[in-house]
Amino acid sequence: VAPFVVSAPGKIILFGEHAVVYGKTAIAGSVDMRAYALVTPRKDGKTRLFLPDINVDVYFDSTQLARLSPSSLSHPCEIETQLTGIVAAEGPGRTAILTFAYMYGSLFERGNMGGFTICVRSLLPVGSGLGSSAAFGVVLSTALLQLTGHLKQMGASAEDRKLINHWAYRGEQVAHGTPSGIDNAVATYGGFLAYTRGSESVSLHSTRALRVLITNTQVPKSTKALVASVRTLRERHPEVVDTILDSIHSISTAAGSLFQSHKPCCSELQDIVRLNHGLLATLGVSHPSLERIREITEARGMASKLTGAGGGGCALTLIPIDVSGAAVDRVAQELGEVGFRCYQTVVGGAG
Ligand code: PMV
């Protein structure tokens, strides 16, 4: 095999976070910050997983990997039990190694791939709700499927994408237990997707990408704790909270119609960004840092909302079409001076 490179984007939830947990619709899009994998063949028969951004550099010999039998597990996250003694790393490095071993083991059962080095680099911050693990899963599954000869058009056909998404979802199960599947779907297909639990995600086929400023508060958040806090509030006040969740669902529906009408960045979209943030704040998942981002951007006429679980993490700001790059630089600089980290992105690009 000749060396090759594959890449996949991160994701951002535009509307519907938290409500999606209760069966409402969420809208997500791809962000143009990507993970890249470079695969090069090796002559010594070894397999090297090199992830310089998270300090992983492990060598597997083919007998170690051939001994894995993921198909005997009842859940992908149990792959850990077949790797005792091999994985010393902790945190994201450990998760990445386990994901790789699971996917390698599964695809090895379907076709030998010889020795190679896979080096993955990513522009996505880890643990910020931008789908870094799903982008990693998609580049891994694409690379391994390509190496085992499963892809007909190097990922370009609908059939190839389906297979890539299937294995990337398995990778997400290793990393997150019971993921919804939206992150890997966005990383595989790109564009904008409407997602409702228990249904296939629906591509919105918008022709226009959106300019979005993503601001990382750098305040650590726990998705699990925030989801639990909404659950508690709902148990105490079911009617009140269900009304809020229904309103969020209506926002996602409105956004879906706007995207499909091919006029995504209009004043109606700004309205629903503000409405969605207000409802999330009412559910108690905002944070002073997120409110600060809103104040700074609103002072320049730009609408912002939290994205993902809230409680810190990231906010998104819509950049209207008539706002110049220099004006965006100024607001990003102001946010940077307060201690936040900004990324100017385009949402809705290729998978
Ligand atoms: O912060 P993230 O990107 O992991 O988003 C969490 C989104 C929630 O709706 C709050 C939880 C979920 O599982 O959908």
Side-chain angles (χ1 to χ4, degrees):
V1 224
F4 62 91
V5 176
V6 292
S7 75
K11 74 101 200 345
I12 188 160
I13 301 181
L14 296 167
F15 302 101
E17 47 276 269
H18 287 286
V20 72
V21 174
Y22 300 93
K24 313 297 175 193
T25 299
I27 309 281
S30 60
V31 293
D32 61 353
M33 292 149 78
R34 303 177 75 91
Y36 300 84
L38 167 66
V39 180
T40 40
R42 298 175 66 92
K43 293 210 175 74
D44 61 7
K46 289 196 166 142
T47 296
R48 177 185 182 198
L49 176 65
F50 182 36
L51 314 173
D53 300 313
I54 51 173
N55 299 318
V56 168
D57 191 4
V58 281
Y59 290 79
F60 300 94
D61 65 49
S62 49
T63 51
Q64 272 172 336
L65 289 166
R67 251 187 272 124
L68 298 169
S69 71
S71 55
S72 67
L73 301 170
S74 59
H75 189 280
C77 70
E78 291 165 11
I79 190 69
E80 204 152 4
T81 59
Q82 298 185 358
L83 279 159
T84 38
I86 302 181
V87 190
E90 291 298 332
R94 183 179 187 84
T95 309
I97 295 169
L98 294 175
T99 305
F100 174 77
Y102 177 83
M103 267 194 224
Y104 183 103
S106 304
L107 294 167
F108 185 83
E109 286 178 337
R110 288 145 208 257
N112 198 343
M113 44 192 126
F116 61 91
T117 294
I118 179 163
C119 172
V120 183
R121 309 251 11 209
S122 177
L123 294 172
L124 292 155
V126 174
S128 309
L130 295 181
S132 63
S133 73
F136 176 69
V138 170
V139 294
L140 269 193
S141 72
T142 309
L144 297 178
L145 286 164
Q146 176 69 18
L147 283 167
T148 44
H150 284 84
L151 296 182
K152 298 207 170 69
Q153 292 175 44
M154 235 198 134
S157 68
E159 214 182 312
D160 282 358
R161 294 272 167 139
K162 204 169 166 192
L163 202 57
I164 290 168
N165 191 40
H166 169 83
W167 286 104
Y169 179 70
R170 295 303 193 88
E172 286 285 271
Q173 287 182 303
V174 176
H176 302 300
T178 52
S180 67
I182 190 166
D183 289 22
N184 51 278
V186 171
T188 302
Y189 297 102
F192 297 92
L193 294 180
Y195 174 81
T196 315
R197 226 173 216 198
S199 323
E200 287 261 313
S201 46
V202 179
S203 167
L204 293 172
H205 297 298
S206 171
T207 47
R208 262 200 231 149
L210 280 181
R211 279 162 80 205
V212 171
L213 183 69
I214 299 175
T215 305
N216 190 344
T217 61
Q218 322 226 61
V219 175
K221 47 108 197 185
S222 157
T223 298
K224 208 170 152 192
L226 289 150
V227 168
S229 74
V230 173
R231 186 169 302 278
T232 306
L233 193 65
R234 182 167 179 262
E235 277 160 13
R236 287 204 212 133
H237 308 280
E239 279 100 35
V240 179
V241 171
D242 280 342
T243 309
I244 296 169
L245 299 175
D246 287 339
S247 297
I248 295 178
H249 180 80
S250 305
I251 287 173
S252 291
T253 310
S257 313
L258 284 174
F259 287 143
Q260 284 176 316
S261 69
H262 306 303
K263 47 169 199 174
C265 199
C266 51
S267 55
E268 285 94 326
L269 196 69
Q270 300 215 41
D271 294 341
I272 58 177
V273 163
R274 293 183 175 109
L275 285 166
N276 199 163
H277 181 82
L279 293 167
L280 287 163
T282 305
L283 292 175
V285 296
S286 189
H287 183 272
S289 59
L290 294 164
E291 295 308 319
R292 189 84 187 92
I293 294 167
R294 268 172 46 79
E295 282 163 26
I296 291 171
T297 56
E298 285 292 354
R300 295 174 188 267
M302 293 182 222
S304 300
K305 68 178 273 295
L306 70 85
T307 174
C314 291
L316 66 84
T317 304
L318 280 187
I319 305 174
I321 294 166
D322 55 359
V323 169
S324 69
V328 182
D329 286 344
R330 279 196 297 277
V331 75
Q333 190 184 343
E334 202 176 325
L335 290 162
E337 281 160 10
V338 188
F340 303 139
R341 187 155 188 178
C342 294
Y343 307 91
Q344 289 190 47
T345 63
V346 172
V347 175

